[in-house]
Amino acid sequence: QVQLVESGGGLVQAGGSLRLSCAASGRTFSSDGMGWFRQPPGKEREFVAAISRSGGLTTYADSVKGRFTISRDNAKNTVYLQMNSLKPEDTAVYYCAAGYLRTVLDVARGALDAWGQGTLVTVSS
């Protein structure tokens, strides 16, 4: 069973940047398609970004395309989400997720078998 631990959330002003990290353990990291999801206050959880097992393929939600970048370091068992040009509407709890042998499209559709505990990102206007 894989364990996922997010870090890097916090309070930032609109226009600022944050980098989230998600450290994985318990399974061969390169076997997992990885993704980031978020849940804004009072709303349902939504897809943000996904990355393939090798890191060669990525996909993003339209709302973050051009501002967020997902990446992974398989040697460090870590996936990252670089968030630039943050907006108040990016305020949410951000979750890291893993899908064993899943493609980026599978991950984007929520075909996942492990979730982190979440990290709060608050963007002030």
Side-chain angles (χ1 to χ4, degrees):
Q1 184 70 16
V2 64
Q3 291 81 44
L4 303 171
V5 179
E6 302 99 334
S7 61
L11 175 64
V12 63
Q13 288 190 330
S17 298
L18 279 177
R19 188 175 83 154
L20 305 183
S21 300
C22 173
S25 61
R27 190 161 73 193
T28 302
F29 185 62
S30 59
S31 297
D32 288 319
M34 299 295 297
W36 287 95
F37 290 72
R38 67 186 182 186
Q39 186 166 16
K43 298 184 179 180
E44 294 187 352
R45 189 157 54 188
E46 62 186 22
F47 167 73
V48 175
I51 189 166
S52 64
R53 289 177 281 146
S54 68
L57 293 174
T58 59
T59 189
Y60 298 89
D62 287 343
S63 59
V64 306
K65 205 170 293 184
R67 299 188 298 122
F68 291 10
T69 303
I70 188 171
S71 62
R72 66 189 295 162
D73 185 337
N74 285 352
K76 295 183 177 179
N77 292 353
T78 303
V79 62
Y80 305 97
L81 185 68
Q82 177 66 44
M83 305 185 294
N84 298 330
S85 303
L86 283 160
K87 305 175 181 179
E89 52 264 43
D90 294 318
T91 294
V93 177
Y94 283 72
Y95 297 90
C96 171
Y100 183 65
L101 299 182
R102 295 296 186 176
T103 68
V104 287
L105 292 182
D106 290 336
V107 172
R109 294 181 187 130
L112 303 150
D113 56 18
W115 294 84
Q117 82 288 350
T119 186
L120 177 63
V121 172
T122 303
V123 184
S124 63
S125 57

